[in-house]
Amino acid sequence: MLYYSGYTRRLGDVDDGSTVTDFLPAERARGITIQSAAITFHWPPLTQESGTKNSQIGKPVVAYAPEVQSYTINLIDTPGHADFTFEVLRSLRILDGAVCILDGVAGVEAQTEKVWYQAATYKIPKIIFINKLDRDGAAFGKTIKEIASKLHSWPAVCQIPWFEGGNGRFTGIVDVVSLKAMLYPEGGDGKTIKVMDLAELETFQPRLAEEARKARFALVELLSEYDDIMVENYLDVDEDHLAISATDIVASLRRCVLRQTSVVPVFAGASFRNIGVQPVLDAIIRLLPSPEECPDPEINLGRFSGGLRSLVDGTLALVDAPAILKGRHGGNLKKSSPFTIQKLETCALAFKVVNDPKRGVLVYVRVYHGAVHRNAMLFNTNLQLSERAPRLLEMYASDAVEVSSIESGQIGVIVGLKYARTGDTLLVYSGANPKTGPPTPLNALQLRPIDVPPPVFFASIEPQSLSEEQPVASALALLLREDPSLQLSVDEDSGQTLLSGMGELHLEIARDRLVQDLKAKASMGKIEIGYRECIGAPGGPETTLFDRETAGRRGKSECTVSVSPLAENLVQDLQTGDENALFRQDGNQINVAIKKFISQNGGHDSPTSPLPTHLSYSIIHTALKNGVLAALARGPQYSFALHSTYVSVTIDPDTQIFGADTTPSALSTAARLATQAALKASAKQLPTSLMEPVMNVIISVDENSLGPVVHDLSASRGGQISSLDDADIVQATTASRNGSGQTREDLPLIDLRRVYAPPDPFESASIAGGEDFGIASNGNRQRTVTARVPLKEMVGYLKYLRSLTGGRGTFVMSVDRFERMNGQREKSVLREMKGL
């Protein structure tokens, strides 16, 4: 596209690492797209003159009619790997249209289905380009059928492939709309094309010409079902499918695409052989919408929502939102709205943040209203702060050109914003106070945010030394600002810093960027599972006297402790008062009981003051509890923290408190020592057992993969299946907040007998007709598996799930509780920990 538009003078190649949009070293090394890249170009090229003197040689051929006006296209190249789903999501959020590129050999792949439904969530018009038809095994007709069966869309075949001799080399395409055949010379750059009409084609390719007529017939019939104007055009030409003009068909296709019908235009080509690229560019400017034709951008004003254009035009009524009408200055928006709205100069969405080593922090924005000018004061409604935009750039992948403004509908970059994040709404309001921003409720105006999918893969990340902790933390903060789908957490049990993301490759790329680009001295490793111990028999009572001088101060205290297993889901119902207290923490229960004071002659306290003046019931409760918790933090056998343990602590003020010598620290030490003794006594009677964290797992799979997934969970991973349900979820993302897209169950099943698809080379009759009988099966209907699975078995589960489901499975999980292991599993875990 960039070559034909005149942006580059050479053709890039993924295999050679010479592509423009895949400019990162990791992208060129792996031959995949990792980071979405934005680039702006014009089609037709600005240097192209109107009209064509010779459409066969030296110029890109416009298949339908020569364009006079040149259009600006903002292209975003998104990743195709499942681990980089968020890059696709945040790009889809700001797009007006999409070109879905399919592999002519592999057909509709698993990630294609996910991205298709992600685009449906944002109601993005789409066209399809079936690529790689020059490869062995390419099957254009089979891919057309898969579009119907897997994507639940009616393929409007706008081009059919031209194979030499019917089953030889892929040499060109036949445009069904204009009824023109385009022959591309072998080894050419795609600019020299031989164009012929249907009559000329029939002289030496009669079968292909006949197939073109069938394709035109099917295209007109399909459009007539969804477009009444096409029906009128069909009747005006006496029901002659071939007599309908290309202009009328393009107009009908455009209406179907913009109305979000289930009709999707399909084009053919082979980008490696430079075949069919220019017609796709023509289709982009003819069929996909301009910014003005897109739906009104959704906005939210506190509890009130609507459209941005309606707000700017003054047609958005806010009288139904009285709670947000009164501003901090006491104004009422209904009375001042014409003046308030007129001062709203700009509204933009930040959809990506990149830390460039040369230019600094780059914030990619899509402008929805007005224009962003250099040095404009931008108010961030999410963070409620203002920042100035010192420099503006128009990006060309890794290159950039400085501009003075970013106009409405355009994508650009703001350099130097310190706080803006992905999904933030940026406003320019004339006369606004930089500290307080626009008046209420405009200061709460937010465009539809970008949903962040939950992480499914985890790894630990540690600095190489203590001195590197701060630099690593700063580098991680930059990394998380760039990619919100990465999440950082600290495991309280192991103390590990955990980095979580969308997959193994995602974290591998994050590690490389952290170490190589951000120069952080850190290493990434496996997660350490935080196991627990639980006692099997009661222990105690154990009475321990602590009497020691520490730092020149004497401490003396005594208490009695007994421990016992805490039955599952059992809550001890004890009466608490000033003397007693019950604590529940970390799966354990601690009961602290202070015996009632009995005064004796010669006692250390008077009856009216049972405790020393520096101690109170609450201080004693807290000190004893802290001592018990310190002992429970380390088990008697495997040194894991205790779980499901009931601890009873008793102290007698008359005999176990020794006046000023009994300090809170002495009480805590006595409780810790007594608890440790009780735990050892329990372990002598019956060894402790290991407990492991169990996760609540919700897995979404297609029905064909349901059996293998359930068997793997229950037989291989020790999981317990809770339920098997139909998945009433949007396939676009595991957690769609507003459900604006359709679920797979809502989409109609396509009758494959009514889907036109040209025959594929070397296709047998049985294979060709095998899918044409009846309605497409719903074997890819989504099912939800709810299960409880040990955390250890879920580490690295994503790649196994993708293997079992052909890449179509997804899952989310959350911590449920700790459960006791059986003997065999405990031995296996212990052997692994010992390195055996």
Side-chain angles (χ1 to χ4, degrees):
M1 289 183 176
L2 301 180
Y3 175 69
Y4 298 131
S5 65
Y7 173 74
T8 62
R9 295 186 178 182
R10 59 175 177 81
L11 288 164
D13 189 351
V14 173
D15 298 327
D16 296 338
S18 58
T19 54
V20 175
T21 54
D22 293 341
F23 56 86
L24 294 178
E27 292 178 317
R28 295 185 172 179
R30 291 175 170 84
I32 60 173
T33 301
I34 294 172
Q35 176 178 277
S36 58
I39 193 165
T40 303
F41 64 92
H42 303 277
W43 184 259
L46 292 175
T47 57
Q48 178 176 330
E49 299 177 1
S50 61
T52 56
K53 297 180 180 179
N54 184 352
S55 63
Q56 298 182 10
I57 299 175
K59 288 194 144 186
V61 172
V62 179
Y64 312 138
E67 276 288 341
V68 176
Q69 181 181 359
S70 182
Y71 295 85
T72 300
I73 298 176
N74 289 302
L75 171 69
I76 296 184
D77 180 24
T78 61
H81 197 284
D83 282 12
F84 306 105
T85 298
F86 181 68
E87 282 291 325
V88 181
L89 282 176
R90 64 176 168 188
S91 299
L92 287 174
R93 168 60 187 85
I94 52 90
L95 292 182
D96 297 331
V99 180
C100 179
I101 301 177
L102 301 182
D103 188 329
V105 178
V108 178
E109 300 177 87
Q111 186 63 11
T112 305
E113 296 179 52
K114 294 179 183 178
V115 174
W116 187 266
Y117 290 105
Q118 287 166 353
T121 307
Y122 295 107
K123 300 179 180 178
I124 296 177
K126 302 173 287 291
I127 62 176
I128 292 177
F129 176 66
I130 300 180
N131 194 22
K132 300 183 180 181
L133 293 178
D134 58 321
R135 292 177 53 188
D136 293 339
F140 182 82
K142 175 177 173 290
T143 306
I144 291 293
K145 293 295 182 68
E146 289 185 355
I147 292 173
S149 62
K150 295 183 178 181
L151 302 183
H152 298 274
S153 299
W154 285 99
V157 180
C158 298
Q159 295 172 351
I160 59 175
W162 181 350
F163 293 98
E164 195 174 50
N167 54 10
R169 180 176 58 89
F170 179 56
T171 59
I173 55 177
V174 178
D175 192 272
V176 178
V177 177
S178 63
L179 295 176
K180 300 283 187 181
M182 287 173 276
L183 181 64
Y184 291 76
E186 185 176 4
D189 63 355
K191 288 188 175 181
T192 303
I193 308 170
K194 183 179 181 180
V195 180
M196 60 191 76
D197 56 21
L198 198 60
E200 186 180 355
L201 178 65
E202 194 166 13
T203 58
F204 62 96
Q205 289 284 346
R207 293 178 56 187
L208 185 61
E210 180 61 27
E211 196 62 43
R213 293 188 181 93
K214 292 181 182 178
R216 168 60 88 94
F217 180 90
L219 179 61
V220 173
E221 290 292 321
L222 177 61
L223 293 176
S224 298
E225 295 184 19
Y226 290 89
D227 183 27
D228 294 336
I229 299 179
M230 174 55 71
V231 176
E232 296 176 4
N233 294 332
Y234 177 64
L235 297 176
D236 290 341
V237 295
D238 298 327
E239 303 183 6
D240 185 356
H241 298 79
L242 300 180
I244 300 177
S245 68
T247 304
D248 290 337
I249 293 181
V250 170
S252 179
L253 283 169
R254 180 177 179 82
R255 286 190 292 270
C256 290
V257 170
L258 297 187
R259 289 203 301 261
Q260 296 282 302
T261 65
S262 57
V263 174
V264 54
V266 182
F267 300 86
S271 59
F272 185 72
R273 302 293 178 189
N274 310 314
I275 299 176
V277 178
Q278 300 97 319
V280 173
L281 288 167
D282 297 333
I284 289 174
I285 62 177
R286 283 180 167 83
L287 303 182
L288 296 180
S290 66
E292 292 78 11
E293 296 171 309
C294 291
D296 198 357
E298 300 176 26
I299 61 170
N300 182 277
L301 288 166
R303 293 181 297 172
F304 186 77
S305 60
L308 178 61
R309 295 195 196 108
S310 301
L311 177 68
V312 174
D313 296 342
T315 58
L316 183 63
L318 299 178
V319 293
D320 297 330
I324 65 170
L325 292 182
K326 293 184 178 180
R328 62 168 63 92
H329 303 296
N332 187 293
L333 186 63
K334 183 179 178 182
K335 296 180 180 179
S336 61
S337 58
F339 307 99
T340 302
I341 299 304
Q342 288 176 3
K343 293 182 180 180
L344 180 62
E345 298 180 357
T346 308
C347 181
L349 179 72
F351 68 93
K352 184 176 180 178
V353 179
V354 174
N355 184 49
D356 189 276
K358 296 180 180 179
R359 304 183 182 96
V361 176
L362 308 179
V363 179
Y364 286 73
V365 297
R366 163 71 193 268
V367 181
Y368 286 96
H369 168 66
V372 179
H373 297 281
R374 186 186 298 139
N375 292 323
M377 183 63 71
L378 303 173
F379 182 75
N380 190 321
T381 61
N382 297 72
L383 301 178
Q384 292 293 302
L385 52 82
S386 297
E387 294 185 87
R388 192 171 295 280
R391 295 175 59 200
L392 304 178
L393 302 177
E394 189 175 86
M395 295 303 297
Y396 296 92
S398 58
D399 298 327
V401 174
E402 192 156 349
V403 294
S404 60
S405 63
I406 306 173
E407 301 298 327
S408 177
Q410 297 293 332
I411 291 173
V413 166
I414 303 175
V415 183
L417 298 184
K418 296 181 179 180
Y419 305 104
R421 309 160 303 174
T422 297
D424 285 353
T425 300
L426 306 176
L427 303 180
V428 176
Y429 186 84
S430 178
N433 187 323
K435 294 184 179 180
T436 59
T440 304
L442 290 182
N443 62 351
L445 187 152
Q446 291 186 8
L447 292 161
R448 181 178 177 179
I450 301 173
D451 296 324
V452 180
V456 293
F457 201 91
F458 308 85
S460 66
I461 186 163
E462 300 293 342
Q464 295 179 358
S465 63
L466 290 177
S467 61
E468 296 296 331
E469 282 189 356
Q470 186 58 41
V472 169
S474 301
L476 284 172
L478 281 174
L479 194 64
L480 267 62
R481 186 184 177 194
E482 286 188 4
D483 188 355
S485 64
L486 291 171
Q487 295 185 16
L488 204 64
S489 60
V490 177
D491 191 320
E492 296 181 357
D493 301 326
S494 63
Q496 287 183 309
T497 300
L498 301 182
L499 186 66
S500 52
M502 303 306 299
E504 189 173 5
L505 180 60
H506 187 203
L507 292 190
E508 183 182 337
I509 296 298
R511 178 201 61 195
D512 293 344
R513 176 138 176 74
L514 187 69
V515 175
Q516 297 175 9
D517 298 343
L518 301 179
K519 307 302 180 184
K521 296 180 180 180
S523 58
M524 191 173 291
K526 295 182 179 180
I527 298 177
E528 292 182 8
I529 305 297
Y531 296 105
R532 297 288 190 271
E533 283 186 54
C534 61
I535 60 177
E542 297 287 338
T543 300
T544 301
L545 173 66
F546 171 75
D547 187 0
R548 186 178 302 172
E549 186 173 313
T550 304
R553 182 172 181 178
R554 181 181 177 83
K556 186 176 182 181
S557 181
E558 189 179 62
C559 65
T560 302
V561 175
S562 61
V563 297
S564 60
L566 181 65
E568 188 175 357
N569 298 326
L570 176 64
V571 178
Q572 300 286 346
D573 187 14
L574 299 176
Q575 293 183 354
T576 60
D578 290 341
E579 300 86 3
N580 300 333
L582 180 65
F583 303 96
R584 301 183 182 93
Q585 190 166 335
D586 299 331
N588 303 302
Q589 292 190 19
I590 305 170
N591 183 64
V592 180
I594 303 176
K595 289 185 177 181
K596 291 186 177 181
F597 180 81
I598 300 177
S599 179
Q600 299 178 0
N601 292 331
H604 59 271
D605 269 321
S606 64
T608 58
S609 179
L611 299 177
T613 56
H614 66 283
L615 294 178
S616 64
Y617 286 122
S618 62
I619 292 176
I620 295 175
H621 292 157
T622 302
L624 294 176
K625 180 198 72 171
N626 292 337
V628 171
L629 290 176
L632 294 177
R634 188 178 180 88
Q637 191 163 349
Y638 304 115
S639 298
F640 289 111
L642 272 297
H643 194 277
S644 300
T645 303
Y646 175 74
V647 183
S648 176
V649 186
T650 305
I651 188 169
D652 186 351
D654 194 22
T655 59
Q656 295 180 320
I657 291 181
F658 305 94
D661 292 340
T662 302
T663 61
S665 61
L667 288 169
S668 296
T669 305
R672 176 175 58 83
L673 296 174
T675 305
Q676 290 175 343
L679 292 173
K680 290 179 181 179
S682 171
K684 287 181 180 180
Q685 298 184 49
L686 189 66
T688 61
S689 300
L690 279 183
M691 302 181 74
E692 63 180 341
V694 176
M695 313 299 288
N696 270 327
V697 183
I698 301 176
I699 305 172
S700 176
V701 298
D702 57 284
E703 194 161 25
N704 292 333
S705 305
L706 184 63
V709 170
V710 170
H711 181 269
D712 176 69
L713 288 175
S714 56
S716 303
R717 303 184 182 275
Q720 299 177 1
I721 306 299
S722 304
S723 65
L724 299 174
D725 303 313
D726 290 336
D728 187 20
I729 62 171
V730 178
Q731 181 66 13
T733 178
T734 307
S736 180
R737 302 197 312 167
N738 54 21
S740 60
Q742 290 178 303
T743 67
R744 286 194 175 186
E745 277 61 37
D746 293 335
L747 297 173
L749 295 178
I750 306 296
D751 188 350
L752 295 183
R753 294 171 298 187
R754 299 178 54 206
V755 175
Y756 165 77
D760 292 321
F762 308 107
E763 182 182 44
S764 64
S766 59
I767 297 176
E771 294 186 4
D772 286 346
F773 297 99
I775 296 177
S777 64
N778 203 18
N780 63 343
R781 183 168 65 98
Q782 291 297 100
R783 299 294 298 275
T784 297
V785 181
T786 305
R788 298 173 62 252
V789 188
L791 173 60
K792 182 178 183 298
E793 302 299 333
M794 296 304 297
V795 176
Y797 176 67
L798 180 62
K799 59 182 178 182
Y800 294 103
L801 179 63
R802 288 176 178 170
S803 175
L804 289 173
T805 62
R808 291 175 171 83
T810 59
F811 78 95
V812 292
M813 65 180 181
S814 58
V815 178
D816 182 18
R817 59 183 176 181
F818 283 87
E819 286 189 356
R820 189 190 300 258
M821 297 183 189
N822 57 40
Q824 181 179 359
R825 184 168 179 80
E826 183 175 327
K827 290 178 182 178
S828 174
V829 170
L830 290 174
R831 282 197 303 267
E832 185 177 336
M833 286 191 295
K834 294 177 182 178
L836 300 178

Short mmCIF file of all heavy atoms in Angstrom, two decimals, residues 680-713:
data_model
loop_
_atom_site.label_atom_id
_atom_site.label_comp_id
_atom_site.label_asym_id
_atom_site.label_seq_id
_atom_site.Cartn_x
_atom_site.Cartn_y
_atom_site.Cartn_z
N LYS A 680 4.60 -27.55 67.72
CA LYS A 680 5.53 -28.68 67.72
C LYS A 680 4.90 -29.89 68.40
O LYS A 680 5.07 -31.04 67.96
CB LYS A 680 6.82 -28.29 68.42
CG LYS A 680 7.67 -27.29 67.63
CD LYS A 680 8.94 -26.93 68.38
CE LYS A 680 9.77 -25.92 67.59
NZ LYS A 680 11.01 -25.52 68.32
N ALA A 681 4.16 -29.64 69.46
CA ALA A 681 3.48 -30.74 70.14
C ALA A 681 2.44 -31.38 69.24
O ALA A 681 2.27 -32.61 69.23
CB ALA A 681 2.84 -30.23 71.43
N SER A 682 1.75 -30.56 68.46
CA SER A 682 0.76 -31.10 67.52
C SER A 682 1.44 -31.92 66.42
O SER A 682 0.96 -32.99 66.04
CB SER A 682 -0.03 -29.94 66.89
OG SER A 682 -0.84 -30.41 65.84
N ALA A 683 2.60 -31.41 65.91
CA ALA A 683 3.29 -32.12 64.84
C ALA A 683 3.86 -33.46 65.30
O ALA A 683 4.01 -34.39 64.51
CB ALA A 683 4.40 -31.24 64.27
N LYS A 684 4.18 -33.59 66.60
CA LYS A 684 4.68 -34.86 67.13
C LYS A 684 3.58 -35.92 67.12
O LYS A 684 3.84 -37.10 66.88
CB LYS A 684 5.21 -34.68 68.55
CG LYS A 684 6.54 -33.94 68.61
CD LYS A 684 7.02 -33.80 70.04
CE LYS A 684 8.36 -33.06 70.09
NZ LYS A 684 8.86 -32.91 71.49
N GLN A 685 2.35 -35.48 67.35
CA GLN A 685 1.23 -36.44 67.34
C GLN A 685 0.87 -36.85 65.92
O GLN A 685 0.65 -38.04 65.65
CB GLN A 685 0.01 -35.81 68.02
CG GLN A 685 0.20 -35.47 69.48
CD GLN A 685 -1.08 -34.94 70.09
OE1 GLN A 685 -2.14 -35.54 69.94
NE2 GLN A 685 -0.98 -33.83 70.79
N LEU A 686 0.81 -35.87 65.02
CA LEU A 686 0.43 -36.14 63.64
C LEU A 686 1.11 -35.09 62.75
O LEU A 686 0.95 -33.90 62.99
CB LEU A 686 -1.09 -36.07 63.46
CG LEU A 686 -1.65 -36.55 62.12
CD1 LEU A 686 -1.40 -38.04 61.94
CD2 LEU A 686 -3.14 -36.26 62.04
N PRO A 687 1.90 -35.52 61.73
CA PRO A 687 2.59 -34.54 60.89
C PRO A 687 1.61 -33.58 60.22
O PRO A 687 0.46 -33.93 59.94
CB PRO A 687 3.32 -35.41 59.86
CG PRO A 687 3.43 -36.75 60.50
CD PRO A 687 2.20 -36.90 61.36
N THR A 688 2.11 -32.40 59.94
CA THR A 688 1.27 -31.42 59.25
C THR A 688 1.10 -31.82 57.79
O THR A 688 1.87 -32.59 57.24
CB THR A 688 1.90 -30.02 59.32
OG1 THR A 688 3.17 -30.05 58.68
CG2 THR A 688 2.06 -29.57 60.76
N SER A 689 0.05 -31.26 57.19
CA SER A 689 -0.23 -31.50 55.77
C SER A 689 -0.07 -30.20 55.00
O SER A 689 -0.16 -29.11 55.57
CB SER A 689 -1.65 -32.04 55.60
OG SER A 689 -1.83 -33.25 56.30
N LEU A 690 0.17 -30.35 53.70
CA LEU A 690 0.29 -29.18 52.84
C LEU A 690 -1.07 -28.80 52.27
O LEU A 690 -1.89 -29.65 51.96
CB LEU A 690 1.26 -29.46 51.69
CG LEU A 690 2.76 -29.34 51.97
CD1 LEU A 690 3.55 -29.59 50.70
CD2 LEU A 690 3.11 -27.98 52.54
N MET A 691 -1.27 -27.49 52.13
CA MET A 691 -2.45 -26.96 51.46
C MET A 691 -1.97 -26.11 50.28
O MET A 691 -0.89 -25.52 50.31
CB MET A 691 -3.29 -26.10 52.42
CG MET A 691 -3.74 -26.84 53.66
SD MET A 691 -4.75 -25.78 54.73
CE MET A 691 -6.28 -25.73 53.82
N GLU A 692 -2.77 -26.07 49.22
CA GLU A 692 -2.41 -25.31 48.03
C GLU A 692 -3.55 -24.38 47.63
O GLU A 692 -4.73 -24.67 47.90
CB GLU A 692 -2.07 -26.24 46.88
CG GLU A 692 -3.21 -27.11 46.41
CD GLU A 692 -2.80 -28.01 45.27
OE1 GLU A 692 -1.77 -27.73 44.62
OE2 GLU A 692 -3.51 -29.01 45.02
N PRO A 693 -3.20 -23.25 46.99
CA PRO A 693 -4.27 -22.34 46.54
C PRO A 693 -5.04 -22.94 45.37
O PRO A 693 -4.45 -23.48 44.43
CB PRO A 693 -3.51 -21.09 46.10
CG PRO A 693 -2.12 -21.56 45.81
CD PRO A 693 -1.87 -22.73 46.70
N VAL A 694 -6.35 -22.86 45.43
CA VAL A 694 -7.23 -23.37 44.38
C VAL A 694 -7.91 -22.18 43.73
O VAL A 694 -8.39 -21.26 44.41
CB VAL A 694 -8.26 -24.35 44.96
CG1 VAL A 694 -9.24 -24.82 43.88
CG2 VAL A 694 -7.55 -25.56 45.56
N MET A 695 -7.97 -22.21 42.39
CA MET A 695 -8.49 -21.08 41.64
C MET A 695 -9.88 -21.39 41.10
O MET A 695 -10.18 -22.54 40.73
CB MET A 695 -7.57 -20.75 40.46
CG MET A 695 -6.09 -20.67 40.81
SD MET A 695 -5.72 -19.39 42.02
CE MET A 695 -5.95 -17.92 41.01
N ASN A 696 -10.71 -20.36 41.05
CA ASN A 696 -11.96 -20.44 40.29
C ASN A 696 -11.63 -20.10 38.84
O ASN A 696 -11.16 -19.00 38.55
CB ASN A 696 -12.98 -19.43 40.83
CG ASN A 696 -13.84 -20.04 41.92
OD1 ASN A 696 -14.14 -21.23 41.89
ND2 ASN A 696 -14.22 -19.22 42.89
N VAL A 697 -11.84 -21.03 37.94
CA VAL A 697 -11.46 -20.86 36.55
C VAL A 697 -12.71 -20.90 35.68
O VAL A 697 -13.55 -21.81 35.83
CB VAL A 697 -10.48 -21.97 36.10
CG1 VAL A 697 -10.03 -21.72 34.67
CG2 VAL A 697 -9.28 -22.01 37.03
N ILE A 698 -12.85 -19.93 34.79
CA ILE A 698 -13.94 -19.89 33.82
C ILE A 698 -13.31 -19.94 32.43
O ILE A 698 -12.58 -19.02 32.04
CB ILE A 698 -14.81 -18.63 33.98
CG1 ILE A 698 -15.40 -18.57 35.39
CG2 ILE A 698 -15.92 -18.60 32.95
CD1 ILE A 698 -16.19 -17.30 35.67
N ILE A 699 -13.58 -21.02 31.71
CA ILE A 699 -12.96 -21.26 30.41
C ILE A 699 -14.03 -21.18 29.34
O ILE A 699 -15.10 -21.79 29.47
CB ILE A 699 -12.27 -22.64 30.38
CG1 ILE A 699 -11.28 -22.76 31.53
CG2 ILE A 699 -11.57 -22.86 29.05
CD1 ILE A 699 -10.69 -24.14 31.68
N SER A 700 -13.75 -20.42 28.28
CA SER A 700 -14.65 -20.30 27.14
C SER A 700 -14.04 -21.06 25.97
O SER A 700 -12.94 -20.74 25.52
CB SER A 700 -14.86 -18.83 26.78
OG SER A 700 -15.67 -18.71 25.63
N VAL A 701 -14.75 -22.09 25.48
CA VAL A 701 -14.26 -22.91 24.37
C VAL A 701 -15.40 -23.16 23.39
O VAL A 701 -16.57 -23.00 23.73
CB VAL A 701 -13.70 -24.27 24.87
CG1 VAL A 701 -12.52 -24.06 25.79
CG2 VAL A 701 -14.78 -25.07 25.57
N ASP A 702 -15.04 -23.56 22.18
CA ASP A 702 -16.07 -23.96 21.24
C ASP A 702 -16.52 -25.38 21.58
O ASP A 702 -15.80 -26.15 22.21
CB ASP A 702 -15.55 -23.89 19.81
CG ASP A 702 -14.32 -24.75 19.61
OD1 ASP A 702 -13.23 -24.32 20.05
OD2 ASP A 702 -14.44 -25.84 19.04
N GLU A 703 -17.72 -25.71 21.16
CA GLU A 703 -18.32 -26.97 21.57
C GLU A 703 -17.51 -28.18 21.10
O GLU A 703 -17.47 -29.21 21.78
CB GLU A 703 -19.75 -27.06 21.05
CG GLU A 703 -20.56 -28.16 21.69
CD GLU A 703 -22.05 -27.96 21.50
OE1 GLU A 703 -22.43 -27.28 20.54
OE2 GLU A 703 -22.82 -28.46 22.33
N ASN A 704 -16.84 -28.07 19.96
CA ASN A 704 -16.05 -29.18 19.47
C ASN A 704 -14.87 -29.51 20.37
O ASN A 704 -14.38 -30.63 20.39
CB ASN A 704 -15.54 -28.88 18.05
CG ASN A 704 -16.67 -28.84 17.04
OD1 ASN A 704 -17.70 -29.48 17.21
ND2 ASN A 704 -16.49 -28.07 15.98
N SER A 705 -14.39 -28.52 21.13
CA SER A 705 -13.24 -28.72 22.00
C SER A 705 -13.63 -28.96 23.45
O SER A 705 -12.75 -29.10 24.31
CB SER A 705 -12.31 -27.49 21.93
OG SER A 705 -11.94 -27.21 20.61
N LEU A 706 -14.93 -29.02 23.72
CA LEU A 706 -15.38 -29.12 25.10
C LEU A 706 -14.88 -30.40 25.77
O LEU A 706 -14.38 -30.36 26.90
CB LEU A 706 -16.91 -29.07 25.14
CG LEU A 706 -17.56 -29.08 26.53
CD1 LEU A 706 -17.15 -27.84 27.32
CD2 LEU A 706 -19.08 -29.14 26.41
N GLY A 707 -14.98 -31.54 25.09
CA GLY A 707 -14.59 -32.81 25.68
C GLY A 707 -13.12 -32.86 26.08
O GLY A 707 -12.80 -33.18 27.25
N PRO A 708 -12.18 -32.56 25.17
CA PRO A 708 -10.77 -32.58 25.56
C PRO A 708 -10.42 -31.63 26.69
O PRO A 708 -9.60 -31.97 27.55
CB PRO A 708 -10.05 -32.18 24.26
CG PRO A 708 -10.99 -32.55 23.17
CD PRO A 708 -12.36 -32.34 23.72
N VAL A 709 -11.04 -30.45 26.72
CA VAL A 709 -10.73 -29.49 27.78
C VAL A 709 -11.21 -30.00 29.13
O VAL A 709 -10.49 -29.95 30.13
CB VAL A 709 -11.36 -28.11 27.46
CG1 VAL A 709 -11.27 -27.18 28.66
CG2 VAL A 709 -10.68 -27.49 26.25
N VAL A 710 -12.42 -30.53 29.18
CA VAL A 710 -12.96 -31.05 30.45
C VAL A 710 -12.13 -32.24 30.93
O VAL A 710 -11.82 -32.36 32.12
CB VAL A 710 -14.44 -31.45 30.27
CG1 VAL A 710 -14.94 -32.20 31.49
CG2 VAL A 710 -15.29 -30.21 30.03
N HIS A 711 -11.75 -33.12 30.01
CA HIS A 711 -10.94 -34.28 30.39
C HIS A 711 -9.58 -33.85 30.92
O HIS A 711 -9.07 -34.41 31.91
CB HIS A 711 -10.78 -35.21 29.18
CG HIS A 711 -9.97 -36.44 29.49
ND1 HIS A 711 -8.60 -36.49 29.32
CD2 HIS A 711 -10.33 -37.66 29.98
CE1 HIS A 711 -8.15 -37.68 29.68
NE2 HIS A 711 -9.18 -38.41 30.08
N ASP A 712 -8.97 -32.85 30.29
CA ASP A 712 -7.67 -32.37 30.74
C ASP A 712 -7.76 -31.76 32.14
O ASP A 712 -6.89 -32.00 32.99
CB ASP A 712 -7.13 -31.34 29.75
CG ASP A 712 -5.83 -30.72 30.21
OD1 ASP A 712 -4.81 -31.42 30.23
OD2 ASP A 712 -5.83 -29.51 30.54
N LEU A 713 -8.83 -31.00 32.40
CA LEU A 713 -8.98 -30.38 33.72
C LEU A 713 -9.18 -31.42 34.82
O LEU A 713 -8.56 -31.35 35.88
CB LEU A 713 -10.16 -29.40 33.70
CG LEU A 713 -9.99 -28.10 32.93
CD1 LEU A 713 -11.29 -27.33 32.92
CD2 LEU A 713 -8.88 -27.25 33.54
#
